[in-house]
Amino acid sequence: MFYRHLKGPIEALLFANGNPLPAAKLALLLNIDEENVQLLLAEMAADMAGDGRGLMLQEVAGGYQLCTKPELVDTVNLLVTTPESRLSSAAMETLAIIAFKQPITRQEMEAIRGVKVDGVVTTLLERGLIREAGRKEAVGRPILYITTDVFLQCFGLNTLQDLPALSQFLPDPDQPS
């Protein structure tokens, strides 16, 4: 391929940016067509998949990002001095509801969960996992919430279509209880 000399610049751009970069943006920055960027990214992903490499190229949130290989997480965690920040089960439940039902209002979340979600929604907003997406055309015009690219990144998803089918979490009606 004529553009192989651009693998280094692509890797540098991905490293320096830190967040996912779409192939179209890389193509624009490097002044080449997107198809060649896609080919270079595929080659880079294959190169990085080999043993002895600490990073991998992952497609997430509509772009490409350099990530630590999962088997090296414990090694990288040696650098971390802050305690891991986890979501409560209530926050995870609410986030799942938003992910599968978006756009959704607080009242709709509360109807599904059966409890108030004010504090949980505030936490999810603060962490950038959800955002406001306008108002519903209904009495009181309640705020609608959707997930963000940060959500996609955290869960290793490229798009919302990569979420598992909701049906796989429902009990099988043909099985006895």
Side-chain angles (χ1 to χ4, degrees):
M1 173 189 288
F2 179 72
Y3 293 112
R4 278 203 173 94
H5 68 282
L6 292 177
K7 284 174 153 180
I10 289 173
E11 189 172 353
L13 289 168
L14 293 171
F15 177 77
N17 192 58
N19 292 316
L21 273 174
K25 174 86 175 197
L26 289 166
L28 183 67
L29 292 169
L30 298 172
N31 199 29
I32 63 172
D33 59 278
E34 189 174 341
E35 183 179 323
N36 281 310
V37 169
Q38 294 283 0
L39 291 171
L40 288 167
L41 289 165
E43 277 188 28
M44 290 171 63
D47 293 345
M48 292 177 155
D51 289 338
R53 300 290 302 263
L55 298 177
M56 63 184 207
L57 186 60
Q58 187 171 7
E59 188 175 3
V60 292
Y64 294 85
Q65 182 175 31
L66 292 175
C67 301
T68 303
K69 286 187 173 178
E71 61 267 22
L72 297 174
V73 169
D74 290 338
T75 303
V76 174
N77 280 340
L78 297 172
L79 289 173
V80 179
T81 57
T82 57
E84 192 172 301
S85 178
R86 294 182 181 257
L87 290 175
S88 67
S89 59
M92 286 297 287
E93 287 173 13
T94 305
L95 187 56
I97 290 167
I98 296 167
F100 283 100
K101 299 286 189 178
Q102 62 187 307
I104 188 170
T105 66
R106 284 182 196 233
Q107 294 84 356
E108 292 165 337
M109 290 179 235
E110 289 170 355
I112 293 169
R113 286 205 61 230
V115 294
K116 287 279 190 198
V117 296
D118 294 341
V120 172
V121 168
T122 300
T123 299
L124 295 173
L125 285 166
E126 287 171 354
R127 295 204 183 173
L129 295 168
I130 65 170
R131 68 177 178 84
E132 295 180 6
R135 293 190 173 265
K136 187 172 185 172
E137 294 295 329
V139 176
R141 304 214 0 104
I143 297 170
L144 291 165
Y145 296 93
I146 60 172
T147 56
T148 64
D149 284 348
V150 172
F151 165 81
L152 293 174
Q153 281 181 265
C154 287
F155 290 91
L157 303 170
N158 188 34
T159 68
L160 291 172
Q161 285 68 41
D162 294 334
L163 283 168
L166 194 53
S167 60
Q168 83 180 48
F169 301 107
L170 299 174
D172 186 355
D174 297 331
Q175 295 286 0
S177 301

